[in-house]
Amino acid sequence: MSLDPRGAALAEIARLADQHHITAEELAALATESATPSPAAPSEPPAPAPLHARGVLVRVLGFLGGTFVFAGLSVFIGLQWDAMSSAARVVITLGSGVTAFALASLARRERRFQPAATPLYLIAAVLEPVGMLVAFEEYGSGGDWRWASLATSGAMAVQFGLAYVVARRSTVLLVAVSFAAVGLCTALDLVALDDGVIAIATGGSLVLAAVRADRLGHRDITPLWYFVGTAVCLAGVFDQVKSTPFEVVFIGAAAGFVYLSVLLRSRTLLVVSTLAILAYTGWFTSEHFADSIGWPLALVGFGLFMIALSGLAVRIDRDYVRASRVV
């Protein structure tokens, strides 16, 4: 008479226990351990729920509502600006921005108001710095405008940085890093660094911030940083090496960004660095080989060599690098 699957499994367990001299107490302890979840095991984050038609509609209405609120404030400020006193100008700009930020912080705590949080954060990111600059203009005594820019961007970066620690929203992080980049650029300009060095430092910082944001799960906002950071950084490199014996450094920097794009799997990095190489090649040709036929042929030959080298690299990776990892 054949046993059912459960009975067959129990019979097999009994046979193996008898063969290896396993006691019933040991089996009971093993069953208890298997039934108890390990406290050290990290819990997997829940998968994000797919957006349904209702969720999309709520978000769209939230963004549209924020847009109309901002448009209404802008029109009102524009119409009444000349009739306002200095205090009223500061209150209507800076006060509205602080109010929008406070409302955004409250809205993100309530599920039904969460779609309105992002537009309110963006309104605050526009009105607050405008209000600070208006306050400097109305109550300041002159001086270098860069100090006002540094104070404004620094305050905004700190405010939205602290807000990100609490809210963990991509929009808040985008605003915080953007103002931090503006503050860094202004600070380096105040210490009279060369424009090329400032561009390299600011662009490189944006790329590093994008890499970190990718690892924190905010990949939806990093393409903008990759684009601006890479373009600004390469522009700074070109400014430093242009018309010098070290012009080839620019090609090396652009090739380095191509390599980084492969490591980070970023199409934005790849597109910007590739366009930079093509633009530099066109500029170099127009400067040094405008009437030469051999130069384009040399470029084609070098490109074919690089393609062949890439195939060799793939082969080496497949036959040696991956094989060594398996071993």
Side-chain angles (χ1 to χ4, degrees):
M1 181 178 179
S2 61
L3 296 173
D4 60 276
R6 186 170 181 276
L10 291 173
E12 182 65 16
I13 292 173
R15 185 186 67 79
L16 291 173
D18 182 66
Q19 179 181 350
H20 297 282
H21 307 289
I22 300 175
T23 64
E25 289 77 8
E26 291 173 334
L27 287 174
L30 179 62
T32 303
E33 291 178 2
S34 301
T36 304
S38 175
S43 58
E44 292 293 333
L51 285 176
H52 299 291
R54 181 179 178 183
V56 173
L57 180 61
V58 169
R59 290 195 176 190
V60 171
L61 291 177
F63 279 104
L64 289 177
T67 302
F68 280 110
V69 169
F70 180 74
L73 284 173
S74 301
V75 171
F76 175 77
I77 293 172
L79 292 175
Q80 302 296 324
W81 188 258
D82 292 335
M84 292 180 183
S85 63
S86 296
R89 292 175 180 178
V90 174
V91 170
I92 197 64
T93 52
L94 182 58
S96 299
V98 172
T99 302
F101 184 85
L103 290 176
S105 301
L106 294 174
R108 69 168 184 82
R109 301 179 183 178
E110 292 289 337
R111 185 179 183 86
R112 56 180 177 172
F113 297 132
Q114 284 181 358
T118 297
L120 288 170
Y121 276 126
L122 294 177
I123 291 173
V126 174
L127 290 179
E128 283 189 343
V130 169
M132 293 181 193
L133 293 176
V134 168
F136 280 113
E137 177 68 22
E138 296 293 333
Y139 297 105
S141 57
D144 195 337
W145 65 268
R146 293 175 296 180
W147 288 108
S149 174
L150 181 62
T152 301
S153 57
M156 293 297 297
V158 171
Q159 180 190 28
F160 276 84
L162 294 176
Y164 170 74
V165 173
V166 177
R168 299 291 177 179
R169 281 177 168 261
S170 298
T171 305
V172 178
L173 180 62
L174 174 64
V175 174
V177 174
S178 299
F179 278 108
V182 174
L184 174 63
C185 182
T186 306
L188 295 179
D189 189 45
L190 279 170
V191 297
L193 286 182
D194 186 78
D195 290 342
V197 176
I198 294 175
I200 293 172
T202 306
S205 299
L206 278 176
V207 172
L208 292 177
V211 173
R212 181 58 181 169
D214 267 345
R215 296 181 179 178
L216 291 175
H218 300 288
R219 196 175 181 84
D220 52 333
I221 61 174
T222 55
L224 176 63
W225 294 351
Y226 280 134
F227 180 84
V228 175
T230 306
V232 170
C233 184
L234 288 177
V237 173
F238 181 74
D239 182 72
Q240 292 296 106
V241 302
K242 180 182 177 182
S243 302
T244 68
F246 304 101
E247 282 185 357
V248 70
V249 172
F250 179 83
I251 294 294
F257 277 111
V258 172
Y259 177 73
L260 186 63
S261 72
V262 176
L263 292 181
L264 300 175
R265 300 178 181 179
S266 171
R267 293 186 181 92
T268 306
L269 269 177
L270 179 61
V271 169
V272 175
S273 52
T274 303
L275 290 177
I277 293 175
L278 293 176
Y280 174 79
T281 304
W283 175 85
F284 188 83
T285 301
S286 65
E287 288 289 322
H288 302 285
F289 299 96
D291 300 321
S292 175
I293 301 298
W295 175 246
L297 296 177
L299 288 176
V300 172
F302 183 71
L304 293 175
F305 171 74
M306 293 297 292
I307 293 174
L309 190 62
S310 67
L312 178 62
V314 170
R315 233 178 126 181
I316 292 174
D317 177 70
R318 182 189 60 202
D319 297 339
Y320 297 98
V321 178
R322 295 185 183 181
S324 64
R325 289 177 183 173
V326 174
V327 174

